[in-house]
Amino acid sequence: MGNWDLNNKRALVTGGTKGIGKATVIELAELGAQVLFTGRDEKTVELVEQELRALGHQVFGLKADVTSTDHRHKVKDWIDSRWKSLDILVNNAGINIRKPTLDYLESEYRQLLEVNLIAPFELSRLLHQYLKGTTVGVVINVASVAGIMDARTGAPYGISKSGLIHLGRSLANEWATDNIRVNTVSPWFTRTPATESVLTNQEKLEKIISRTPLGRVANDKEIASVIAFLAMDKASFVNGQNIVVDGGASAAIL
């Protein structure tokens, strides 16, 4: 059933210039995959591509905003012209705006939903034809523990991640006959640029750690390794699952 690698696989990782996304790009590339990653800032995309290519990785950066229809088609056109097929889609790009519910502007929560939920839905649909064209296609959505319980991250974020988890379940059933597996990874608080403002607050950090049986927060590589496993042929019978990577937080009653 293959080795513990991703040799000859082609992967797309959205939001791949930092945090869990960048760690995932590196993990997949180290396992032998060719990886296309997207980011919204062209200069950052170029710098990350240069950095990872200097390490010998087969990576390609593309400036793209996943909320833009034109940019999603730009990604599709790149895949169509270069690869003609896609083995792995990692819907990782995400944002959050932490506020009490009554303080959100409509534009803020709509943007959050566009990035975290609508974009993965649309990109998965757009790239279905390429995933279906492989022996077994894989879609992995990066959600959050906030999608299964209130993690004090704001209602719109929780809504978007809960929807993303359900999208994974729905597509897993619907697309199984197309030989496409779909799973979700839901991290707890992880050290990334996106969580820096929270984790540098000592009071908040202590609350998070006290809620986590392993007594610490995760690093981005620990999340990327789970994503990589789900992308492998070794995970060939794992479908429709939400893998919670939280150090035991959701299993504990504290």
Coordinates of all heavy atoms in Angstrom, one line a residue, residues 98-171:
R98 N -11.3 38.6 16.6 CA -11.9 38.3 17.9 C -12.6 39.5 18.5 O -12.0 40.5 18.9 CB -10.7 37.8 18.9 CG -10.1 36.5 18.4 CD -8.9 36.2 19.3 NE -8.4 34.8 19.1 CZ -7.5 34.6 18.1 NH1 -7.0 35.6 17.4 NH2 -7.1 33.4 17.9
K99 N -13.9 39.3 18.7 CA -14.8 40.4 19.2 C -16.0 39.8 19.9 O -16.4 38.6 19.5 CB -15.3 41.3 18.1 CG -14.3 42.3 17.5 CD -15.0 43.2 16.5 CE -14.0 44.3 16.0 NZ -14.8 45.2 15.1
P100 N -16.6 40.5 20.8 CA -17.9 40.1 21.3 C -18.9 40.1 20.1 O -18.8 40.9 19.2 CB -18.3 41.1 22.3 CG -17.0 41.7 22.8 CD -16.1 41.7 21.6
T101 N -19.9 39.3 20.1 CA -20.8 39.2 19.0 C -21.4 40.5 18.6 O -21.6 40.8 17.4 CB -22.0 38.2 19.4 OG1 -21.4 36.9 19.6 CG2 -23.0 38.1 18.3
L102 N -21.8 41.3 19.5 CA -22.5 42.6 19.2 C -21.6 43.6 18.6 O -22.1 44.6 18.1 CB -23.2 43.1 20.5 CG -24.3 42.2 21.0 CD1 -24.9 42.9 22.3 CD2 -25.4 42.0 20.0
D103 N -20.3 43.4 18.7 CA -19.3 44.4 18.2 C -18.9 44.2 16.8 O -18.2 45.0 16.2 CB -18.1 44.4 19.1 CG -18.4 44.9 20.5 OD1 -19.5 45.5 20.7 OD2 -17.5 44.8 21.4
Y104 N -19.3 43.1 16.1 CA -18.9 42.8 14.8 C -19.6 43.7 13.8 O -20.8 44.0 13.9 CB -19.2 41.4 14.4 CG -18.2 40.4 14.9 CD1 -18.5 39.7 16.0 CD2 -17.0 40.1 14.2 CE1 -17.6 38.7 16.6 CE2 -16.1 39.2 14.7 CZ -16.4 38.5 15.9 OH -15.5 37.6 16.4
L105 N -18.8 44.3 12.8 CA -19.4 44.9 11.6 C -19.8 43.8 10.7 O -19.2 42.7 10.6 CB -18.4 45.8 11.0 CG -17.8 47.0 11.8 CD1 -16.8 47.7 11.0 CD2 -19.0 47.9 12.2
E106 N -20.9 44.0 9.9 CA -21.3 43.0 9.0 C -20.2 42.6 8.0 O -20.0 41.5 7.6 CB -22.5 43.5 8.2 CG -23.1 42.5 7.2 CD -24.3 42.9 6.5 OE1 -25.0 43.9 6.9 OE2 -24.7 42.3 5.5
S107 N -19.4 43.6 7.6 CA -18.4 43.4 6.6 C -17.3 42.5 7.2 O -16.7 41.7 6.5 CB -17.7 44.7 6.2 OG -17.2 45.4 7.3
E108 N -17.1 42.6 8.6 CA -16.1 41.7 9.2 C -16.5 40.3 9.3 O -15.7 39.4 8.9 CB -15.8 42.3 10.6 CG -15.1 43.6 10.7 CD -15.0 44.1 12.1 OE1 -15.9 43.9 12.9 OE2 -14.0 44.8 12.4
Y109 N -17.7 40.0 9.7 CA -18.1 38.6 9.8 C -18.3 37.9 8.5 O -18.1 36.8 8.3 CB -19.2 38.3 10.8 CG -20.6 38.9 10.4 CD1 -21.4 38.2 9.5 CD2 -21.2 39.9 11.1 CE1 -22.6 38.7 9.1 CE2 -22.4 40.4 10.8 CZ -23.2 39.8 9.8 OH -24.4 40.2 9.5
R110 N -18.8 38.8 7.5 CA -18.9 38.2 6.2 C -17.6 37.9 5.5 O -17.4 36.8 4.9 CB -19.7 39.2 5.3 CG -21.2 39.2 5.6 CD -21.9 40.0 4.5 NE -23.3 40.1 4.8 CZ -24.2 39.1 4.5 NH1 -23.8 38.1 3.8 NH2 -25.5 39.2 4.8
Q111 N -16.6 38.7 5.8 CA -15.2 38.4 5.3 C -14.7 37.2 5.9 O -14.0 36.3 5.3 CB -14.3 39.6 5.5 CG -12.8 39.4 5.1 CD -12.6 39.2 3.6 OE1 -13.5 39.4 2.8 NE2 -11.4 38.9 3.3
L112 N -14.9 37.0 7.2 CA -14.4 35.8 7.9 C -15.0 34.5 7.4 O -14.3 33.5 7.1 CB -14.8 36.0 9.4 CG -14.0 35.2 10.4 CD1 -14.0 35.9 11.8 CD2 -14.7 33.8 10.6
L113 N -16.3 34.6 7.1 CA -17.0 33.4 6.5 C -16.5 33.2 5.1 O -16.4 32.0 4.7 CB -18.5 33.6 6.6 CG -19.2 33.6 8.0 CD1 -20.6 34.1 7.9 CD2 -19.1 32.2 8.5
E114 N -16.3 34.2 4.3 CA -15.8 34.0 3.0 C -14.5 33.3 2.9 O -14.3 32.4 2.1 CB -15.7 35.4 2.3 CG -17.0 36.1 1.9 CD -17.6 35.4 0.6 OE1 -16.9 34.7 -0.1 OE2 -18.8 35.6 0.4
V115 N -13.5 33.7 3.8 CA -12.2 33.1 3.8 C -12.3 31.7 4.4 O -11.7 30.7 3.8 CB -11.2 33.9 4.7 CG1 -9.9 33.2 4.8 CG2 -11.1 35.3 4.1
N116 N -12.9 31.5 5.5 CA -12.8 30.2 6.3 C -13.8 29.1 5.8 O -13.5 28.0 6.0 CB -13.2 30.5 7.7 CG -12.1 31.3 8.4 OD1 -11.1 31.7 7.8 ND2 -12.3 31.6 9.7
L117 N -14.9 29.5 5.1 CA -15.9 28.5 4.7 C -16.2 28.5 3.2 O -16.1 27.5 2.6 CB -17.1 28.7 5.6 CG -18.3 27.7 5.3 CD1 -17.8 26.3 5.5 CD2 -19.5 28.0 6.2
I118 N -16.6 29.7 2.7 CA -17.0 29.7 1.3 C -15.9 29.4 0.4 O -16.0 28.7 -0.6 CB -17.6 31.1 1.0 CG1 -18.7 31.5 2.0 CG2 -18.1 31.2 -0.5 CD1 -19.9 30.5 1.9
A119 N -14.7 30.0 0.7 CA -13.5 29.7 -0.2 C -13.2 28.2 -0.3 O -13.0 27.7 -1.4 CB -12.3 30.5 0.2
P120 N -13.1 27.5 0.8 CA -12.8 26.0 0.7 C -13.9 25.3 -0.1 O -13.6 24.4 -0.8 CB -12.8 25.6 2.2 CG -12.4 26.8 2.9 CD -13.0 27.9 2.2
F121 N -15.2 25.7 0.1 CA -16.3 25.1 -0.6 C -16.1 25.3 -2.1 O -16.2 24.3 -2.9 CB -17.6 25.7 -0.1 CG -18.8 25.2 -0.8 CD1 -19.3 23.9 -0.7 CD2 -19.5 26.1 -1.7 CE1 -20.4 23.5 -1.3 CE2 -20.6 25.6 -2.4 CZ -21.1 24.3 -2.2
E122 N -15.8 26.5 -2.5 CA -15.7 26.8 -3.9 C -14.4 26.2 -4.5 O -14.5 25.7 -5.6 CB -15.7 28.4 -4.1 CG -17.0 29.0 -3.8 CD -18.1 28.7 -4.8 OE1 -17.8 27.9 -5.8 OE2 -19.2 29.2 -4.7
L123 N -13.3 26.3 -3.8 CA -12.1 25.7 -4.3 C -12.2 24.2 -4.5 O -11.7 23.6 -5.5 CB -10.9 26.1 -3.4 CG -9.5 26.0 -4.0 CD1 -9.4 26.9 -5.3 CD2 -8.5 26.5 -3.0
S124 N -12.8 23.6 -3.5 CA -13.0 22.1 -3.6 C -13.8 21.7 -4.8 O -13.5 20.8 -5.6 CB -13.7 21.6 -2.4 OG -12.9 21.8 -1.2
R125 N -14.9 22.5 -5.1 CA -15.7 22.3 -6.3 C -14.9 22.5 -7.5 O -15.0 21.7 -8.5 CB -17.0 23.2 -6.2 CG -17.9 22.9 -5.1 CD -19.3 23.5 -5.2 NE -19.3 24.8 -5.8 CZ -20.3 25.3 -6.5 NH1 -21.4 24.5 -6.8 NH2 -20.3 26.5 -7.0
L126 N -14.2 23.6 -7.6 CA -13.5 24.0 -8.8 C -12.4 22.9 -9.1 O -12.2 22.7 -10.3 CB -12.8 25.3 -8.6 CG -12.2 26.0 -9.8 CD1 -13.2 26.3 -10.8 CD2 -11.4 27.3 -9.3
L127 N -11.8 22.3 -8.1 CA -10.6 21.4 -8.4 C -11.1 20.0 -8.3 O -10.2 19.1 -8.5 CB -9.5 21.7 -7.3 CG -8.9 23.1 -7.4 CD1 -7.9 23.2 -6.3 CD2 -8.4 23.4 -8.7
H128 N -12.3 19.7 -8.1 CA -12.8 18.3 -8.1 C -12.4 17.5 -9.3 O -12.0 16.4 -9.2 CB -14.4 18.3 -8.0 CG -15.0 17.0 -8.1 ND1 -15.4 16.5 -9.4 CD2 -15.3 16.0 -7.2 CE1 -15.9 15.3 -9.2 NE2 -15.9 15.0 -7.9
Q129 N -12.5 18.1 -10.5 CA -12.1 17.4 -11.7 C -10.7 16.9 -11.7 O -10.4 15.8 -12.3 CB -12.4 18.3 -12.9 CG -11.5 19.5 -12.9 CD -11.8 20.4 -14.1 OE1 -11.7 20.0 -15.3 NE2 -12.3 21.6 -13.9
Y130 N -9.8 17.6 -11.1 CA -8.4 17.2 -11.0 C -8.1 16.2 -10.0 O -7.3 15.3 -10.2 CB -7.5 18.5 -10.8 CG -7.7 19.5 -11.9 CD1 -8.4 20.7 -11.7 CD2 -7.1 19.3 -13.2 CE1 -8.6 21.6 -12.7 CE2 -7.3 20.3 -14.2 CZ -8.1 21.4 -13.9 OH -8.3 22.3 -14.9
L131 N -8.8 16.3 -8.9 CA -8.7 15.3 -7.8 C -9.3 14.0 -8.2 O -8.8 12.9 -7.9 CB -9.4 15.8 -6.5 CG -8.8 17.0 -5.8 CD1 -9.8 17.7 -5.0 CD2 -7.6 16.6 -5.0
K132 N -10.4 14.1 -9.0 CA -11.0 12.8 -9.5 C -10.2 12.1 -10.5 O -10.2 10.9 -10.7 CB -12.4 13.2 -10.1 CG -13.2 12.0 -10.6 CD -14.5 12.5 -11.2 CE -15.3 11.3 -11.7 NZ -16.6 11.7 -12.3
G133 N -9.3 12.9 -11.2 CA -8.5 12.3 -12.2 C -7.3 11.5 -11.7 O -6.6 10.9 -12.5
T134 N -7.0 11.5 -10.4 CA -5.9 10.8 -9.8 C -6.4 9.4 -9.4 O -7.6 9.2 -9.3 CB -5.3 11.5 -8.6 OG1 -6.3 11.7 -7.6 CG2 -4.8 12.9 -9.1
T135 N -5.5 8.5 -9.0 CA -5.9 7.2 -8.4 C -6.8 7.4 -7.2 O -7.9 6.8 -7.1 CB -4.7 6.4 -8.1 OG1 -3.9 6.3 -9.2 CG2 -5.1 5.0 -7.6
V136 N -6.4 8.2 -6.3 CA -7.2 8.6 -5.1 C -6.8 10.0 -4.8 O -5.7 10.4 -4.5 CB -6.9 7.7 -3.9 CG1 -7.7 8.2 -2.7 CG2 -7.1 6.2 -4.1
G137 N -7.8 10.9 -4.8 CA -7.7 12.3 -4.5 C -7.9 12.5 -3.0 O -8.6 11.7 -2.4
V138 N -7.3 13.5 -2.4 CA -7.4 13.8 -1.0 C -7.7 15.3 -0.8 O -7.0 16.1 -1.3 CB -6.1 13.4 -0.2 CG1 -6.3 13.7 1.2 CG2 -5.8 11.9 -0.4
V139 N -8.7 15.5 0.0 CA -9.0 16.9 0.5 C -8.9 16.9 2.0 O -9.4 16.1 2.7 CB -10.4 17.4 0.1 CG1 -10.7 18.8 0.6 CG2 -10.6 17.3 -1.4
I140 N -8.1 17.9 2.5 CA -8.0 18.0 3.9 C -8.3 19.5 4.3 O -7.7 20.4 3.8 CB -6.5 17.7 4.4 CG1 -6.2 16.3 4.0 CG2 -6.4 17.9 5.9 CD1 -4.7 16.0 4.1
N141 N -9.3 19.7 5.1 CA -9.7 21.0 5.6 C -9.1 21.2 7.0 O -9.1 20.4 7.8 CB -11.2 21.1 5.7 CG -11.9 20.9 4.4 OD1 -11.4 21.4 3.4 ND2 -13.0 20.2 4.3
V142 N -8.5 22.4 7.1 CA -8.0 22.8 8.5 C -9.0 23.6 9.2 O -9.3 24.8 8.8 CB -6.7 23.6 8.3 CG1 -6.1 23.9 9.7 CG2 -5.7 22.7 7.5
A143 N -9.7 23.0 10.2 CA -10.7 23.7 10.9 C -10.2 24.1 12.3 O -9.1 24.7 12.4 CB -11.9 22.8 11.1
S144 N -10.9 23.8 13.4 CA -10.4 24.2 14.7 C -11.3 23.6 15.7 O -12.4 23.2 15.5 CB -10.6 25.8 14.8 OG -10.4 26.2 16.2
V145 N -10.7 23.4 16.9 CA -11.5 23.0 18.1 C -12.7 23.9 18.3 O -13.7 23.5 18.8 CB -10.6 22.8 19.3 CG1 -11.5 22.6 20.6 CG2 -9.6 21.7 19.2
A146 N -12.5 25.2 17.9 CA -13.6 26.2 18.0 C -14.8 25.8 17.2 O -15.9 26.3 17.4 CB -13.1 27.5 17.6
G147 N -14.7 24.8 16.3 CA -15.8 24.3 15.5 C -16.6 23.3 16.2 O -17.7 22.9 15.8
I148 N -16.1 22.8 17.4 CA -16.9 21.8 18.1 C -17.2 22.2 19.5 O -18.0 21.6 20.2 CB -16.2 20.4 18.2 CG1 -14.8 20.6 18.9 CG2 -16.0 19.9 16.8 CD1 -14.1 19.2 19.1
M149 N -16.6 23.3 20.0 CA -16.9 23.9 21.3 C -16.6 25.4 21.3 O -15.8 25.8 20.5 CB -16.2 23.1 22.4 CG -14.7 23.3 22.4 SD -14.0 22.3 23.7 CE -12.3 22.9 23.7
D150 N -17.1 26.1 22.3 CA -16.8 27.5 22.4 C -15.4 27.7 23.0 O -15.1 27.4 24.1 CB -17.8 28.2 23.3 CG -17.5 29.7 23.4 OD1 -16.8 30.2 22.6 OD2 -18.0 30.3 24.4
A151 N -14.5 28.1 22.1 CA -13.1 28.3 22.5 C -12.8 29.8 22.8 O -11.6 30.2 22.8 CB -12.1 27.8 21.5
R152 N -13.8 30.6 22.9 CA -13.7 32.1 23.2 C -12.9 32.8 22.1 O -12.2 33.7 22.3 CB -13.0 32.3 24.5 CG -13.6 31.6 25.7 CD -15.0 32.2 26.1 NE -15.6 31.5 27.2 CZ -15.3 31.9 28.5 NH1 -14.5 32.8 28.8 NH2 -16.0 31.2 29.5
T153 N -13.2 32.3 20.8 CA -12.5 32.9 19.7 C -13.4 33.8 18.8 O -13.0 34.2 17.8 CB -11.9 31.8 18.8 OG1 -13.0 30.9 18.4 CG2 -10.8 31.0 19.5
G154 N -14.7 33.9 19.3 CA -15.6 34.7 18.6 C -16.6 33.8 17.8 O -16.2 32.8 17.3
A155 N -17.9 34.2 17.9 CA -18.9 33.4 17.3 C -18.8 33.1 15.8 O -18.9 32.0 15.3 CB -20.3 34.0 17.5
P156 N -18.4 34.2 15.0 CA -18.3 33.9 13.5 C -17.2 32.9 13.2 O -17.3 32.1 12.3 CB -17.9 35.3 13.0 CG -18.6 36.3 13.9 CD -18.4 35.6 15.3
Y157 N -16.1 32.9 13.9 CA -15.0 32.0 13.7 C -15.5 30.6 14.0 O -15.3 29.6 13.2 CB -13.8 32.3 14.6 CG -12.6 31.5 14.4 CD1 -11.8 31.7 13.3 CD2 -12.3 30.4 15.2 CE1 -10.6 30.9 13.1 CE2 -11.2 29.6 15.0 CZ -10.3 29.9 14.0 OH -9.2 29.1 13.7
G158 N -16.2 30.4 15.1 CA -16.7 29.1 15.5 C -17.7 28.6 14.4 O -17.7 27.4 14.1
I159 N -18.6 29.5 14.0 CA -19.5 29.1 12.9 C -18.8 28.7 11.7 O -19.2 27.6 11.1 CB -20.4 30.4 12.6 CG1 -21.3 30.7 13.8 CG2 -21.3 30.1 11.3 CD1 -22.0 32.1 13.6
S160 N -17.8 29.4 11.3 CA -17.1 29.1 10.0 C -16.4 27.7 10.1 O -16.4 26.9 9.2 CB -16.1 30.2 9.6 OG -15.0 30.2 10.5
K161 N -15.8 27.4 11.3 CA -15.1 26.2 11.4 C -16.0 25.0 11.6 O -15.7 23.9 11.2 CB -14.1 26.3 12.6 CG -13.0 27.3 12.4 CD -12.2 27.0 11.1 CE -11.0 27.9 10.9 NZ -10.2 27.6 9.8
S162 N -17.1 25.2 12.3 CA -18.1 24.2 12.4 C -18.7 23.8 11.0 O -18.8 22.6 10.7 CB -19.3 24.6 13.3 OG -20.3 23.6 13.4
G163 N -18.9 24.8 10.2 CA -19.4 24.6 8.8 C -18.3 23.8 8.0 O -18.7 23.0 7.2
L164 N -17.1 24.2 8.2 CA -16.0 23.5 7.5 C -15.9 22.0 7.9 O -15.7 21.2 7.0 CB -14.7 24.2 7.8 CG -13.5 23.8 6.9 CD1 -13.8 24.1 5.4 CD2 -12.2 24.6 7.3
I165 N -16.1 21.7 9.1 CA -16.1 20.3 9.6 C -17.2 19.6 8.9 O -17.0 18.4 8.4 CB -16.2 20.2 11.1 CG1 -14.9 20.8 11.8 CG2 -16.5 18.8 11.6 CD1 -15.1 21.0 13.3
H166 N -18.4 20.2 8.9 CA -19.5 19.5 8.2 C -19.3 19.4 6.7 O -19.7 18.4 6.1 CB -20.8 20.2 8.5 CG -22.0 19.5 8.1 ND1 -22.5 18.4 8.8 CD2 -22.8 19.6 7.0 CE1 -23.5 17.8 8.2 NE2 -23.8 18.6 7.1
L167 N -18.7 20.4 6.1 CA -18.4 20.3 4.7 C -17.5 19.0 4.4 O -17.8 18.3 3.5 CB -17.6 21.5 4.2 CG -17.1 21.5 2.8 CD1 -18.3 21.4 1.8 CD2 -16.3 22.7 2.5
G168 N -16.6 18.8 5.3 CA -15.7 17.6 5.2 C -16.5 16.3 5.2 O -16.3 15.4 4.4
R169 N -17.5 16.2 6.1 CA -18.3 15.0 6.3 C -19.1 14.8 5.0 O -19.3 13.7 4.5 CB -19.2 15.1 7.5 CG -18.4 15.1 8.8 CD -19.4 15.0 10.0 NE -18.7 15.0 11.3 CZ -18.8 16.1 12.1 NH1 -19.6 17.1 11.8 NH2 -18.1 16.1 13.3
S170 N -19.7 15.9 4.6 CA -20.6 15.8 3.4 C -19.9 15.4 2.1 O -20.3 14.5 1.4 CB -21.3 17.2 3.2 OG -22.1 17.6 4.2
L171 N -18.7 16.1 1.9 CA -18.0 15.7 0.7 C -17.4 14.3 0.8 O -17.3 13.6 -0.3 CB -16.9 16.7 0.5 CG -17.3 18.2 0.1 CD1 -16.1 19.0 -0.2 CD2 -18.3 18.2 -1.0

